[in-house]
Amino acid sequence: MPKLDQFFRIQEAADYLEVCRNTLRNWCRQGKNPEFRHSVHNWLFLAADLDALLRETEQAVNGPDSGPTPRRPR
């Protein structure tokens, strides 16, 4: 299991993806993004999984030839 500092909490992940927390929860229920559960921090998301979701979304919207959009550092 990756270290805790490699994860985003749900609000941080939602801010990173620029969506609301409920949208992110729905995507997890639909299987679009994996989440990890932690007894203290509840829903956790790997940064690499969020980046992959962003790439998939951008390719769906802009086509397969679109390059990655740089994201702000956490």
Side-chain angles (χ1 to χ4, degrees):
M1 177 103 175
K3 294 183 180 182
L4 193 56
D5 64 351
Q6 295 175 337
F7 288 93
F8 286 97
R9 291 187 178 122
I10 191 161
Q11 186 60 57
E12 295 168 332
D15 291 343
Y16 185 75
L17 295 173
E18 298 177 356
V19 298
C20 69
R21 289 183 309 204
N22 287 335
T23 299
L24 186 53
R25 286 185 184 116
N26 286 332
W27 287 347
C28 291
R29 288 184 192 109
Q30 295 168 4
K32 293 181 180 181
N33 193 59
E35 82 275 1
F36 297 87
R37 299 296 177 108
H38 188 275
S39 61
V40 176
H41 302 293
N42 296 328
W43 294 48
L44 297 174
F45 302 88
L46 277 173
D49 292 337
L50 298 177
D51 288 335
L53 181 62
L54 280 174
R55 282 192 300 276
E56 290 173 16
T57 304
E58 288 174 355
Q59 287 179 356
V61 171
N62 299 326
D65 295 333
S66 65
T69 302
R71 304 297 298 175
R72 62 184 180 268
R74 32 184 273 190

